[in-house]
Amino acid sequence: MPARPTLPLPAPKRARRKQARPGELLDAALDLFVEKGYTATRVEEVAARAGVSKGTLFLYFPSKEDLFKAVVRESIVGRFEEWGALMEQFTGSTGEMLRICYQSWWERIGCTRASGITKLMLCEAGNFPEIVQFYQHEVIDPAHALIRRALERGMASGEFRTMDLDYAVQTVVAPLMFLTLTRHSPVACMPHGADFNPQAFIDHQIDHLLHGLCAAPPPSSHPFP
Amino acid sequence: MPARPTLPLPAPKRARRKQARPGELLDAALDLFVEKGYTATRVEEVAARAGVSKGTLFLYFPSKEDLFKAVVRESIVGRFEEWGALMEQFTGSTGEMLRICYQSWWERIGCTRASGITKLMLCEAGNFPEIVQFYQHEVIDPAHALIRRALERGMASGEFRTMDLDYAVQTVVAPLMFLTLTRHSPVACMPHGADFNPQAFIDHQIDHLLHGLCAAPPPSSHPFP
Amino acid sequence: MPARPTLPLPAPKRARRKQARPGELLDAALDLFVEKGYTATRVEEVAARAGVSKGTLFLYFPSKEDLFKAVVRESIVGRFEEWGALMEQFTGSTGEMLRICYQSWWERIGCTRASGITKLMLCEAGNFPEIVQFYQHEVIDPAHALIRRALERGMASGEFRTMDLDYAVQTVVAPLMFLTLTRHSPVACMPHGADFNPQAFIDHQIDHLLHGLCAAPPPSSHPFP
Amino acid sequence: MPARPTLPLPAPKRARRKQARPGELLDAALDLFVEKGYTATRVEEVAARAGVSKGTLFLYFPSKEDLFKAVVRESIVGRFEEWGALMEQFTGSTGEMLRICYQSWWERIGCTRASGITKLMLCEAGNFPEIVQFYQHEVIDPAHALIRRALERGMASGEFRTMDLDYAVQTVVAPLMFLTLTRHSPVACMPHGADFNPQAFIDHQIDHLLHGLCAAPPPSSHPFP
DNA sequence: GATGAATGAGTGTTCATTCAT
DNA sequence: TATGAATGAACACTCATTCAT
């Protein structure tokens, strides 16, 4: 009789740590790169935060630049096919679909360490054009395509009014970008003393988004002449 | 007899330059700090772009950090009182007022070099907390106050529906922030090959904003249950 | 069978050097600081003389100034208690005691690298008031106290005539100071072509000193009116 | 009838100042070089202290090094022939002659700015061998020759005992050197809180010197066996 | 594999010197 | 003649990278 399948025993500490090293280094590097920027981050600090020596870092990453690229690559959660598939099967209203998009973005990206990559790309775009293009290709392009399909669905069904899709997609994206920034540079985004609840912001934004997108009511686009 | 054409008298070269130097250096520094970040910008490069030698830069700014702070301080125009006064006198609809706000933000800040400061503050927030707080105090706080008053006006007049003002202000601000980023890091903001017209974006956003803010139309806030 | 000759095991090179580094750097720094003065000494030169690179120096001393202070502190042997104890137990004449003082000063300090510190303190007094005060406290004060006690002993026993101790101590110290200077700046102290033997100078000085201090003979202090 | 000879009218301020410039610069430079050493002294500081601009200094001295050399050369009071002549005519005792030497050294050099040159030469000997040799030739050599002649006179007349002249001259010089140092680096020479009167020191030293040099008293040179 | 001592190219900053005014 | 803005070589110090242990 075959033994019941067991969870794989945790490897002996040494070995597991060895396996974990690169990940711990990437975590530490992400935090520091996001907080201080690429140039201002010292590799020794990254190593120290990961609990290893400077030399060890170079055992896993041939250079600081490679470490940076690895950080970006590893943090990109390219789950867009899956996300796209979910939306294909969705049968509710497009408004509801967008709400789900916002919420799951928040849960999977916005509130996680991955959101730091966005800040990183914005800040280091000038210094790493190549890796930012990679990010554009892997993240921005599919994300925009996803949203575009959702908006097309809404327009096709009559839920949404007719819009220039290029700008409409940006309209959907902008609040998420802003929310990301508030998490990493709150002082540069919000007034002194503001108390800010990301989830409430998400809720508020989706409401605002839908009201703005609804086809029906406004007889004229400039209701207050 | 025609007057002899006179060569335009070249102002004393040394003296004239002396006046211009700080400004030229600040301009060069702003460009480079925005493009590459504080740490990755070399003072020699700033000096070269301003057409002077490294030593000359230190004649006007005692250190790189002081140069940075001067860049921020000088670029903060702080015309918010004037802006506020204009709005007090405005007699049209609040929607129109917001449209004017967006447009004049674009003309005075968004499309100028000053917009770089926003990117700088977002990116360097972790490295220069003090100067970012200054920015918050001089820019963010008054800007939010301005928008808040506009929204209150709209709510008081019945043009706008009742909203949580804290979040509504962010709703107004987010697109401007996003637009700023598209100008400085387009690749990190927009899909490959997108052609993007800032003025069209502004127009689109104000339309979207107003539809979302208008009290009248939506019978229910979740029209697609 | 003869034992195979073994190569002297080179101690682990890295580790052994690690121990030696600070000392080697301090030695090199002392030499150069004494020879050229603080400002004219380049840290790279110190490092080169110690056989390491510039960066290595900063591994052991956080700054040039700290290196300087360490040089001074390390070179101050501060064996004055021991010296004082020896004198307490001494049973010979006070003249002999002074002779021993001179001689052991020469052997322990005068003819060693430590004498450079004296020159350094004289030359850098204006630039490092704090460290010179430290030197005063650790070296000058106890040295003067020591000599003062010897002179008091001589006066009490009737060997020496009655003198103003403050000036008498300086009288004892001055030749040692001068001897120190002849070692580090002979050209500024002695005529061209002079051949100068420090030990002979010491002997000459103690003779002169004692003749001058002896109570007995001179019936009048100004024998040649 | 010819006009009574008048004192030359003080030249108009401008012109006189122009004449005075080099002297004022040399004064300022001497002070600063003595206080801080050659390398640590900035030419701008010298110029500022002399009340002129940096550029003006270079109008009078082609380089910092030349300024330094000029300072030394100008400050050397080569009055040794005159001094020597005075001594030739002196008819009193040699002891009195030495007393006069000490006193007039103090008045002409020791208590004047010229004494700074001694410190300068001691401190910069390693960096300016050439100028120090010049100093040796112009100051040390004649000074030692002067003293040597005085001592020879004393020995010839029987006032002084027979001594090795080389060392005896140093014995005369050492206290003056020490006194010079106490004036420029008191903290490195004297105990904390000492109050020190240069004139009293001079007096004390001459007394001590004569007692030590007098032939008569000590029957044996080591009176305390 | 892991370490951390050592390196040296690179950067911010100073300051003697020049020169147009 | 006097100025002081401009220069650039020189120097203190940093930090990514190497490598002997």
Side-chain angles (χ1 to χ4, degrees):
Chain A
M1 191 178 88
R4 257 233 318 261
T6 57
L7 288 173
L9 280 179
K13 188 124 189 191
R14 247 310 156 92
R16 198 186 52 199
R17 297 232 45 179
K18 190 158 27 173
Q19 292 303 334
R21 281 285 142 74
E24 290 166 3
L25 284 163
L26 289 169
D27 278 1
L30 175 55
D31 285 351
L32 287 165
F33 283 147
V34 170
E35 185 185 334
K36 317 167 74 156
Y38 174 78
T39 317
T41 296
R42 271 165 299 143
V43 294
E44 187 156 27
E45 209 177 351
V46 174
R49 187 176 288 209
V52 300
S53 76
K54 198 169 24 164
T56 303
L57 187 151
F58 284 93
L59 235 47
Y60 294 98
F61 303 96
S63 75
K64 187 186 181 184
E65 194 170 335
D66 285 297
L67 172 64
F68 180 75
K69 291 177 180 170
V71 162
V72 177
R73 251 185 279 272
E74 289 296 312
S75 299
I76 286 176
V77 280
R79 276 292 126 81
F80 291 101
E81 323 80 52
E82 181 198 326
W83 227 336
L86 283 176
M87 281 174 54
E88 297 296 340
Q89 303 158 4
F90 188 76
T91 55
S93 73
T94 308
E96 198 53 35
M97 184 192 274
L98 278 184
R99 184 181 304 273
I100 290 170
C101 277
Y102 263 41
Q103 189 63 35
S104 76
W105 171 87
W106 170 248
E107 284 160 11
R108 298 192 198 188
I109 296 176
C111 79
T112 73
R113 310 159 47 81
S115 74
I117 294 296
T118 301
K119 187 200 170 190
L120 219 41
M121 294 296 94
L122 290 169
C123 295
E124 303 295 340
N127 298 320
F128 296 92
E130 190 191 324
I131 195 84
V132 179
Q133 272 181 31
F134 170 78
Y135 170 79
Q136 182 188 47
H137 184 257
E138 298 292 315
V139 177
I140 299 295
D141 289 355
H144 278 238
L146 200 69
I147 295 165
R148 173 178 289 262
R149 260 187 292 145
L151 294 177
E152 284 170 337
R153 181 185 191 264
M155 281 165 67
S157 72
E159 283 172 88
F160 297 164
R161 57 190 173 95
T162 310
M163 301 165 293
D164 181 325
L165 273 170
D166 287 333
Y167 293 100
V169 172
Q170 311 276 29
T171 302
V172 175
V173 165
L176 304 185
M177 210 85 155
F178 181 79
L179 180 51
T180 299
L181 296 174
T182 63
R183 295 196 61 230
H184 295 290
S185 309
V187 181
C189 293
M190 291 183 296
H192 179 71
D195 86 302
F196 182 79
N197 179 334
Q199 184 63 58
F201 179 82
I202 289 277
D203 292 341
H204 183 95
Q205 284 306 129
I206 192 69
D207 279 359
H208 173 69
L209 196 63
L210 294 181
H211 284 133
L213 293 169
C214 290
S220 121
S221 78
H222 297 163
F224 306 106
Chain B
M1 191 177 92
R4 252 225 331 251
T6 55
L7 291 172
L9 275 182
K13 205 201 295 177
R14 282 288 177 96
R16 194 191 48 203
R17 308 240 44 184
K18 171 73 158 60
Q19 293 304 330
R21 281 287 135 75
E24 291 167 4
L25 285 163
L26 289 170
D27 280 359
L30 175 54
D31 285 352
L32 286 166
F33 283 148
V34 170
E35 184 185 335
K36 316 169 71 155
Y38 174 78
T39 317
T41 296
R42 273 164 297 143
V43 295
E44 189 157 25
E45 208 177 352
V46 174
R49 185 174 289 209
V52 299
S53 74
K54 193 166 34 162
T56 301
L57 186 151
F58 286 95
L59 237 45
Y60 295 95
F61 303 95
S63 74
K64 187 185 181 184
E65 192 168 337
D66 285 296
L67 173 65
F68 179 77
K69 291 178 179 170
V71 162
V72 177
R73 249 184 280 272
E74 288 295 311
S75 299
I76 288 178
V77 279
R79 277 288 120 84
F80 291 102
E81 324 78 53
E82 180 198 327
W83 227 335
L86 284 176
M87 283 175 54
E88 298 297 338
Q89 304 158 1
F90 188 75
T91 54
S93 74
T94 308
E96 199 53 35
M97 184 191 274
L98 277 185
R99 184 181 305 275
I100 289 170
C101 277
Y102 262 42
Q103 189 62 36
S104 77
W105 171 87
W106 170 249
E107 283 160 10
R108 296 191 197 190
I109 296 177
C111 79
T112 73
R113 311 159 47 80
S115 73
I117 295 296
T118 301
K119 187 199 170 191
L120 219 40
M121 294 296 96
L122 291 170
C123 295
E124 304 295 342
N127 299 319
F128 295 93
E130 192 190 323
I131 195 87
V132 179
Q133 271 182 29
F134 171 76
Y135 169 79
Q136 181 188 48
H137 185 257
E138 297 293 315
V139 177
I140 300 294
D141 289 356
H144 278 238
L146 199 68
I147 295 165
R148 172 178 290 262
R149 259 185 294 144
L151 295 176
E152 283 170 339
R153 181 185 192 265
M155 281 166 65
S157 72
E159 285 172 87
F160 298 165
R161 58 189 171 93
T162 311
M163 301 165 293
D164 181 324
L165 274 170
D166 288 331
Y167 293 100
V169 172
Q170 311 276 27
T171 302
V172 175
V173 166
L176 304 184
M177 211 85 155
F178 181 79
L179 180 50
T180 298
L181 297 174
T182 64
R183 296 197 61 231
H184 295 289
S185 310
V187 182
C189 293
M190 291 183 295
H192 179 71
D195 86 304
F196 181 81
N197 179 334
Q199 184 64 60
F201 179 83
I202 289 276
D203 293 340
H204 183 95
Q205 284 306 129
I206 191 69
D207 279 358
H208 173 69
L209 198 62
L210 294 182
H211 284 130
L213 293 171
C214 290
S220 119
S221 77
H222 295 164
F224 307 106
Chain C
M1 192 178 90
R4 253 226 329 251
T6 55
L7 291 171
L9 274 183
K13 205 200 299 179
R14 282 288 178 95
R16 194 191 48 200
R17 307 239 46 183
K18 170 75 157 59
Q19 293 304 331
R21 279 286 135 74
E24 291 167 4
L25 285 162
L26 288 170
D27 279 0
L30 175 54
D31 285 352
L32 287 165
F33 284 148
V34 170
E35 184 186 334
K36 316 169 71 155
Y38 175 79
T39 316
T41 297
R42 272 163 298 142
V43 296
E44 190 157 24
E45 207 176 353
V46 174
R49 186 174 288 210
V52 299
S53 74
K54 191 169 34 164
T56 302
L57 186 151
F58 286 96
L59 236 46
Y60 295 95
F61 303 96
S63 74
K64 186 185 181 183
E65 192 169 337
D66 284 296
L67 173 65
F68 180 76
K69 291 178 180 170
V71 163
V72 177
R73 250 183 279 272
E74 288 295 312
S75 300
I76 288 177
V77 280
R79 274 291 120 82
F80 291 101
E81 323 80 52
E82 181 197 326
W83 227 334
L86 285 175
M87 282 175 52
E88 299 296 338
Q89 303 158 2
F90 188 77
T91 56
S93 73
T94 307
E96 198 54 35
M97 184 191 273
L98 277 185
R99 184 182 303 275
I100 290 170
C101 277
Y102 262 42
Q103 188 63 35
S104 77
W105 171 87
W106 170 248
E107 284 160 10
R108 297 190 197 190
I109 296 177
C111 79
T112 72
R113 311 159 46 79
S115 73
I117 295 296
T118 301
K119 186 198 170 192
L120 220 39
M121 294 297 94
L122 290 169
C123 295
E124 304 294 342
N127 299 319
F128 295 92
E130 193 190 322
I131 196 88
V132 179
Q133 273 181 29
F134 170 77
Y135 169 80
Q136 182 187 49
H137 185 257
E138 297 292 316
V139 177
I140 299 295
D141 289 356
H144 278 237
L146 200 69
I147 295 165
R148 173 179 288 261
R149 259 186 294 145
L151 295 176
E152 284 170 337
R153 181 184 191 265
M155 282 167 65
S157 72
E159 285 171 85
F160 298 164
R161 58 189 172 95
T162 310
M163 301 165 293
D164 182 325
L165 274 170
D166 287 333
Y167 293 99
V169 172
Q170 310 276 27
T171 302
V172 174
V173 166
L176 304 184
M177 211 85 154
F178 181 78
L179 180 50
T180 299
L181 296 174
T182 63
R183 295 198 61 231
H184 295 290
S185 309
V187 182
C189 293
M190 290 183 296
H192 178 71
D195 87 301
F196 181 81
N197 180 333
Q199 183 64 58
F201 179 83
I202 288 275
D203 292 340
H204 183 95
Q205 284 307 129
I206 190 70
D207 280 357
H208 172 70
L209 196 62
L210 294 182
H211 286 132
L213 293 170
C214 290
S220 121
S221 77
H222 296 162
F224 306 105
Chain D
M1 190 177 89
R4 259 231 321 258
T6 57
L7 288 173
L9 279 180
K13 188 123 191 192
R14 247 311 156 94
R16 199 188 52 200
R17 297 232 44 179
K18 191 160 25 174
Q19 291 304 333
R21 281 285 142 75
E24 289 166 3
L25 284 163
L26 289 169
D27 279 0
L30 175 55
D31 285 352
L32 287 165
F33 283 148
V34 170
E35 184 186 334
K36 318 169 74 158
Y38 175 79
T39 317
T41 296
R42 271 165 300 142
V43 294
E44 187 157 26
E45 210 178 349
V46 174
R49 188 177 288 210
V52 300
S53 75
K54 198 169 25 164
T56 302
L57 186 152
F58 283 93
L59 235 46
Y60 293 99
F61 304 95
S63 74
K64 187 186 181 185
E65 195 170 334
D66 285 295
L67 172 65
F68 179 76
K69 291 176 180 171
V71 163
V72 178
R73 251 184 279 272
E74 290 297 312
S75 300
I76 285 176
V77 279
R79 276 290 128 81
F80 291 101
E81 323 80 51
E82 179 197 329
W83 228 334
L86 284 175
M87 282 174 55
E88 297 297 337
Q89 304 157 3
F90 188 76
T91 56
S93 73
T94 308
E96 198 53 34
M97 184 191 274
L98 278 185
R99 184 182 305 274
I100 290 170
C101 277
Y102 263 41
Q103 189 62 37
S104 77
W105 171 88
W106 170 248
E107 283 160 10
R108 296 192 198 188
I109 297 177
C111 80
T112 73
R113 310 159 47 81
S115 74
I117 295 295
T118 301
K119 186 199 170 191
L120 219 40
M121 293 296 95
L122 291 169
C123 295
E124 303 295 340
N127 299 319
F128 296 93
E130 190 191 324
I131 194 83
V132 179
Q133 273 181 30
F134 170 77
Y135 169 80
Q136 183 188 45
H137 185 257
E138 297 292 316
V139 177
I140 300 294
D141 290 355
H144 278 237
L146 200 69
I147 295 166
R148 174 179 287 262
R149 259 186 294 145
L151 295 176
E152 283 171 338
R153 181 185 191 265
M155 282 166 66
S157 72
E159 282 171 272
F160 297 164
R161 57 189 172 95
T162 311
M163 301 166 293
D164 181 325
L165 274 170
D166 287 332
Y167 294 99
V169 172
Q170 310 277 28
T171 302
V172 175
V173 167
L176 304 185
M177 211 86 154
F178 180 79
L179 180 51
T180 299
L181 297 174
T182 64
R183 294 197 61 231
H184 296 289
S185 310
V187 182
C189 294
M190 291 184 295
H192 179 72
D195 86 305
F196 182 80
N197 179 334
Q199 184 64 59
F201 178 83
I202 289 275
D203 293 340
H204 182 95
Q205 283 307 128
I206 192 71
D207 280 357
H208 173 69
L209 197 63
L210 294 181
H211 284 131
L213 293 170
C214 289
S220 119
S221 80
H222 295 165
F224 306 108

